[in-house]
Amino acid sequence: MLGTIRQLGLEELIASKRCRERDLVVAMLVQRLIAPCSKLATTREWHDTTLAQELGVEDAGENELYAALDWLLKRQERIENKLANRHLSEGAVVLYDLTSSSYYGRRCPLAVYGHNRDGSKEPCIAYGLLADRDGRPISVDVYEGNTG
């Protein structure tokens, strides 16, 4: 998985220069693809594989993983612009889909009652995905569940 990420140039899309946060984000991405689990379980899984060692993040704790996600969120617009420059051209056809997911937690300010597309009566979160004509994701936005 790490080799494929490198072949696609995903590391450079996340950040042009190598840094601890980029390595943590890439390690979490690989872990999510191989065996999805919580952040705490992710740090435990890394003790049984060479992934964390390969990226130099074997000493990371779950709080550092959450901080790396905050770092990534601040870079979202920059990453989306790089993806758009790579995959879209002037006048390109884009695809946009808005959907929702039920939310069963208690502390998400975006989870509100709205038009839940799965028919559930639970609060939901809405999100939209912009993709190029081949279905490659370019951008994602998250909205309150009652957003039309």
Side-chain angles (χ1 to χ4, degrees), residues 35-56:
C37 54
S38 70
K39 302 299 172 270
L40 178 58
T42 292
T43 61
R44 291 178 181 158
E45 286 283 322
W46 287 351
H47 296 290
D48 297 329
T49 70
T50 60
L51 173 63
Q53 183 180 13
E54 174 80 19
L55 291 166

Side-chain angles (χ1 to χ4, degrees), residues 7-49:
Q7 194 172 28
L8 292 170
L10 188 55
E11 287 176 310
E12 289 75 25
L13 278 173
I14 295 169
S16 58
K17 295 181 181 174
R18 185 174 184 179
C19 64
R20 174 90 172 165
E21 292 85 358
R22 184 182 90 171
D23 289 344
L24 287 166
V25 168
V26 170
M28 284 188 282
L29 176 60
V30 171
Q31 182 66 43
R32 176 69 49 173
L33 292 169
I34 293 172
C37 54
S38 70
K39 302 299 172 270
L40 178 58
T42 292
T43 61
R44 291 178 181 158
E45 286 283 322
W46 287 351
H47 296 290
D48 297 329
T49 70

Side-chain angles (χ1 to χ4, degrees), residues 62-76:
E62 67 271 14
N63 289 335
E64 192 176 7
L65 299 187
Y66 285 113
L69 291 174
D70 290 339
W71 172 86
L72 182 64
L73 181 60
K74 291 175 187 170
R75 302 185 64 75
Q76 180 177 351

